[in-house]
Amino acid sequence: MPPSKTENEDNEDTIKFLLASDCHLGYAEKDAIRGRDSLVTFEEVLQLAQQHKVDFLLLGGDLFHENKPSRDTLHGCMALFRQYCMGGSPIQVEFLSDQAINFATSKFPIVNYEDPNYNVSIPVFSIHGNHDDPSGPNNLCALDLLSVCGLVNHFGKIQSLEKIEITPLLMQKGLTKLALYGLGSVRDERLHRLFCHKHVHMLRPKEEKNSWFNVLCLHQNRSKHGQTNYIPEQFLDDFLDLVIWGHEHECKIEPEHNPQQNFFVSQPGSTIATSLSEGESRQKHVGLVRIREKAVKCSKIALKTVRQFYMEDIALADTSLNPEDTDIARKVEEFCAAKVEALLERAEDEHTGNSRQPKQPLIRIRVDYSGGFELFNTNRFGQKFVDKVANPKDLILFHKKKVIDRKDIKPDVTGLDSYLRPEALDTARVEDLVREIGRASCRERV
């Protein structure tokens, strides 16, 4: 894909959209410190979409953290969509495909910016994730509520778990034709089986198939968690140009080339940390994607309102601390406290300066106490930093190195052949024994 076609100034042939995923609105909403984090960062995402004058916003699933978001979270989300996505700005992208098929599960099967009852300035297209997936008698989810309100275009919702047909949303702007495929979250084991049985089909436009830029947005495990608990990239059709992979929270938004399938994969990651894991500690971004004919360019934009998160691993055996010291527990606690203070100084230095970025960072220190070190009270330790960090209750995680079971280690038998040689099997004796048993059986029958 030649980059020169997208390095020029945006023109009438360039489709430009903002890419985000896993916003998890409502995460930790009852936490007095972190309760508004998800909505604050989501507002920044919408502000960026407005600032860059994108043609639309594409969300890769898990807009909400809960299947049934609270009224406060739902109200906050709807208010933000109305504030930033409604208006009189003209939409330059023409919608070409049959909307009755694209939005077949919607009460109003029409793209919202063509609905005469609404003035939409930034269309939002979203698939559902595993956190906000459809359920209940009518198989509804929170995105369906936003859809009937005209705020979001919910696509990629499947109607059968026996056979999946994915119909693209066809859009055009000037000379650029975009086929946007969506697949909402399906249980990985089930989807893996459907792919293996060739029951997942992606429909293509009948005319000028090669003139379309094909994008797939899905929300599944990309990392292997078991034999069937993920979706290998090789399962996906090779006519795709770009795959947008939601669900994985580590930000790898710069497209990675898959040489076997010859498409690119962009993993936006989450906009908020929902676990204290290493992948969540990476810098959070959204992507500004430009497509012109068959060329694509993805520029990552760092989010400046995300709460800072720092993680550090400590092996006490590698320090100067002596486990035989009579006061070792206190010294280990002081050592960890010094590490926290150092990370707090780093957080202060690296703060973006944005007034909406929280001052209290998330900090996680994983302490390997193998070697006979004593533990200290982590709750009491966290109380020292109540006003300094956002997670005082789980600052410290103690763990030990996994001890290898000696039974799993195979002994080295190199060089023992000359001492231990198995005797050759006497096949003649075995044959005689079988023959004798057969004769005895015949005599008993007689």
Side-chain angles (χ1 to χ4, degrees):
M1 298 180 184
S4 59
K5 287 191 177 183
T6 53
E7 288 177 352
N8 302 328
E9 187 177 357
D10 299 333
N11 60 23
E12 66 276 3
D13 295 323
T14 302
I15 294 179
K16 180 170 63 173
F17 64 89
L18 195 72
L19 171 61
S21 184
D22 295 84
C23 300
H24 287 272
L25 300 184
Y27 174 74
E29 62 181 337
K30 295 183 180 179
D31 189 309
I33 298 176
R34 304 166 63 186
R36 305 296 294 179
D37 284 6
S38 60
L39 286 168
V40 168
T41 302
F42 186 60
E43 183 173 8
E44 182 186 2
V45 173
L46 296 178
Q47 288 172 342
L48 288 170
Q50 193 177 70
Q51 173 187 336
H52 289 277
K53 298 179 181 180
V54 297
D55 293 307
F56 59 88
L57 169 64
L58 179 60
L59 302 176
D62 279 353
L63 175 61
F64 295 99
H65 185 67
E66 300 290 345
N67 182 270
K68 298 178 181 178
S70 67
R71 282 176 291 183
D72 183 48
T73 297
L74 196 58
H75 175 270
C77 174
M78 296 174 74
L80 290 174
F81 276 133
R82 179 169 178 174
Q83 179 179 353
Y84 292 100
C85 299
M86 308 299 272
S89 301
I91 307 298
Q92 303 296 330
V93 176
E94 183 182 3
F95 204 95
L96 302 177
S97 53
D98 189 343
Q99 301 178 34
I101 296 177
N102 294 144
F103 309 110
T105 60
S106 174
K107 185 75 173 178
F108 304 96
I110 181 173
V111 67
N112 65 347
Y113 66 86
E114 291 187 359
D115 191 326
N117 299 306
Y118 294 96
N119 282 334
V120 178
S121 58
I122 303 177
V124 179
F125 295 92
S126 179
I127 62 172
H128 63 262
N130 59 307
H131 278 258
D132 52 9
D133 58 327
S135 61
N138 295 317
N139 200 35
L140 297 175
C141 64
L143 283 178
D144 291 315
L145 301 181
L146 300 180
S147 175
V148 296
C149 294
L151 299 174
V152 170
N153 299 293
H154 180 201
F155 73 112
K157 185 177 180 181
I158 63 174
Q159 301 183 60
S160 171
L161 292 175
E162 302 299 325
K163 183 179 180 181
I164 297 178
E165 287 190 347
I166 308 175
T167 305
L169 280 60
L170 302 180
M171 293 175 267
Q172 182 171 359
K173 182 179 179 183
L175 298 176
T176 302
K177 298 178 180 180
L178 172 64
L180 177 59
Y181 296 82
L183 179 59
S185 178
V186 181
R187 192 166 60 88
D188 288 289
E189 293 86 350
R190 181 188 294 275
L191 187 58
H192 192 284
R193 184 171 63 251
L194 290 173
F195 269 112
C196 289
H197 293 166
K198 309 297 183 183
H199 289 165
V200 180
H201 304 285
M202 299 179 66
L203 306 182
R204 302 186 66 182
K206 293 181 180 180
E207 299 178 359
E208 300 180 342
K209 291 183 179 180
N210 296 327
S211 66
W212 295 86
F213 190 90
N214 302 289
V215 177
L216 169 64
C217 183
L218 77 165
H219 190 99
Q220 305 291 153
N221 278 336
R222 186 182 180 192
S223 302
K224 187 175 182 179
H225 298 280
Q227 291 299 319
T228 60
N229 195 21
Y230 77 114
I231 304 301
E233 294 179 11
Q234 285 67 30
F235 280 5
L236 306 179
D237 288 277
D238 58 6
F239 71 82
L240 293 169
D241 299 297
L242 176 65
V243 176
I244 295 169
W245 211 297
H247 182 62
E248 301 287 355
H249 280 207
E250 183 176 355
C251 182
K252 298 179 180 179
I253 203 163
E254 292 183 344
E256 302 172 355
H257 185 244
N258 183 317
Q260 183 175 346
Q261 300 298 98
N262 197 30
F263 54 57
F264 288 85
V265 180
S266 174
Q267 181 178 303
S270 64
T271 60
I272 180 177
T274 60
S275 64
L276 299 178
S277 62
E278 188 174 355
E280 294 277 26
S281 64
R282 305 281 188 266
Q283 173 67 52
K284 305 291 187 183
H285 296 86
V286 293
L288 185 62
V289 182
R290 293 179 174 90
I291 298 172
R292 186 181 302 173
E293 297 185 50
K294 294 292 285 185
V296 62
K297 179 180 179 181
C298 181
S299 306
K300 63 180 184 180
I301 303 173
L303 294 171
K304 298 181 179 180
T305 60
V306 178
R307 187 179 295 274
Q308 295 164 284
F309 177 24
Y310 298 95
M311 175 173 282
E312 189 165 331
D313 289 302
I314 298 173
L316 295 178
D318 297 337
T319 67
S320 59
L321 297 172
N322 183 7
E324 302 298 330
D325 195 317
T326 56
D327 199 18
I328 188 60
R330 180 184 62 81
K331 292 183 177 180
V332 170
E333 184 174 351
E334 291 177 351
F335 181 84
C336 292
K339 289 289 184 182
V340 174
E341 291 290 353
L343 290 176
L344 286 172
E345 291 181 8
R346 178 183 169 189
E348 185 176 357
D349 293 338
E350 296 180 355
H351 195 275
T352 63
N354 190 301
S355 60
R356 303 204 69 187
Q357 184 178 34
K359 300 291 186 182
Q360 298 163 282
L362 293 166
I363 292 179
R364 178 72 152 205
I365 298 181
R366 297 185 295 197
V367 182
D368 178 5
Y369 66 100
S370 304
F373 289 90
E374 291 184 27
L375 309 182
F376 56 82
N377 189 307
T378 55
N379 290 329
R380 185 180 61 206
F381 179 85
Q383 292 300 313
K384 301 177 182 179
F385 302 96
V386 167
D387 297 326
K388 298 181 179 181
V389 300
N391 59 318
K393 294 181 180 179
D394 45 19
L395 265 172
I396 304 294
L397 175 65
F398 284 111
H399 69 96
K400 279 187 176 182
K401 284 184 179 179
K402 185 179 180 181
V403 179
I404 301 176
D405 190 353
R406 304 299 299 180
K407 296 179 181 179
D408 297 335
I409 301 178
K410 296 182 179 180
D412 185 6
V413 295
T414 305
L416 296 181
D417 292 347
S418 58
Y419 297 94
L420 303 175
R421 289 186 180 276
E423 295 182 1
L425 180 63
D426 191 347
T427 56
R429 290 178 56 191
V430 173
E431 292 172 357
D432 292 342
L433 180 60
V434 172
R435 190 180 296 111
E436 186 62 33
I437 293 173
R439 291 172 180 173
S441 177
C442 289
R443 285 196 295 269
E444 289 178 1
R445 291 178 183 174
V446 175

